[in-house]
Amino acid sequence: MNIHIVYAHPSATSLNASLRDEAVKALDELGHQVTVSDLYAMNWKATADYDDLGPVEDGNFMAASGQAFEAGSLSADILAEQEKLLASDAILFQFPLWWFSMPAIMKGWVDRVLANGFGYGSGRGWKRYGDGRLAGKRAMAVVTTGAAEAHLSDRGVNGSFDDLMFPINHGIFFYTGMDVLPPLLIPSTVKFDEDDYAAAARRLREHLETLETTEPIAYRKQAGGDYDQSKRLKPGRERPGTTGFDLHIA
């Protein structure tokens, strides 16, 4: 497989940097082709603005982004990242959990690279939620956090990790058509010792070894017949007792 890693951490000597290197080594040993976008090392521009678009006429930024994509006038750094995604079979997103989400520099990568026309389609058909240019590619998040795993459980003070990841897994990865693999959480990193690191590296490798065979999260496709004309889940489609984000998992 061709696997692209989108990576965000400001320190070259961090736990995240070491785990990124572990991932690259493991994937190489497994016979995959690996590329990496190290956003901090690239000095990635995180703000989406009209400088990204070239000469456009539409005052609506989303529409203007789509116009720029169709015209081929998106900035060179965006086009380069889009080419990396198109060449990949799977994309790993590795980041520390900051303020219950990805770092701003990675969110800026999402805002700029997954542009209208590329990451999703507007106008005729609305290519999103399971459909689109990136359909068939696999996506998985590798997330570190200083919080203990219990803090991110169903009754944990931080809320369920699955709930925290829904905007990323469903709202970014699945929205752009990708098959979303269960994320890997690496908790309690502020207390890591050598044994903890070795265990985390083993878990990471185990996830990478099954990257091709792991069943994706069974999110419902927008065009799969489960939603009505108002894009609400049709009554009776859910499992008994299901509420909240879980309604969107078949």
Side-chain angles (χ1 to χ4, degrees), residues 74-85:
L74 290 169
S75 62
D77 58 344
I78 292 175
L79 292 174
E81 293 301 295
Q82 291 178 345
E83 287 300 318
K84 293 173 187 177
L85 296 187

Side-chain angles (χ1 to χ4, degrees), residues 6-170:
V6 183
Y7 167 79
H9 196 285
S11 172
T13 59
S14 64
L15 170 69
N16 265 276
S18 295
L19 290 172
R20 175 205 58 207
D21 292 345
E22 295 276 3
V24 171
K25 178 183 177 183
L27 290 169
D28 182 66
E29 290 174 351
L30 291 166
H32 301 296
Q33 301 298 313
V34 187
T35 54
V36 179
S37 289
D38 183 339
L39 301 183
Y40 280 96
M42 295 162 62
N43 196 26
W44 178 260
K45 173 179 172 281
T47 305
D49 55 33
Y50 281 91
D51 290 340
D52 292 340
L53 308 184
V56 292
E57 299 175 359
D58 203 309
N60 178 292
F61 186 77
M62 183 188 75
S65 174
Q67 184 184 90
F69 173 75
E70 292 297 331
S73 64
L74 290 169
S75 62
D77 58 344
I78 292 175
L79 292 174
E81 293 301 295
Q82 291 178 345
E83 287 300 318
K84 293 173 187 177
L85 296 187
L86 292 176
S88 301
D89 302 302
I91 301 98
L92 303 181
F93 294 81
Q94 187 193 331
F95 57 92
L97 190 69
W98 287 356
W99 290 107
F100 299 88
S101 188
M102 56 180 57
I105 196 169
M106 183 175 281
K107 179 54 166 59
W109 182 95
V110 169
D111 290 345
R112 298 181 66 222
V113 174
L114 303 181
N116 183 9
F118 178 81
Y120 61 97
S122 60
R124 291 174 298 179
W126 275 103
K127 298 295 184 182
R128 61 182 184 180
Y129 290 125
D131 293 306
R133 195 175 302 270
L134 301 181
K137 300 181 185 296
R138 299 189 146 221
M140 185 179 81
V142 178
V143 184
T144 61
T145 177
E149 191 166 11
H151 299 175
L152 293 160
S153 63
D154 55 346
R155 298 172 69 89
V157 66
N158 291 337
S160 162
F161 180 63
D162 288 341
D163 286 353
L164 294 182
M165 288 297 296
F166 185 84
I168 295 172
N169 282 338
H170 187 265

Side-chain angles (χ1 to χ4, degrees), residues 220 233 237-249:
R220 302 176 189 274
L233 185 67
R237 296 295 175 105
E238 73 273 20
R239 299 184 305 278
T242 303
T243 60
F245 295 145
D246 286 345
L247 287 171
H248 304 290
I249 300 176

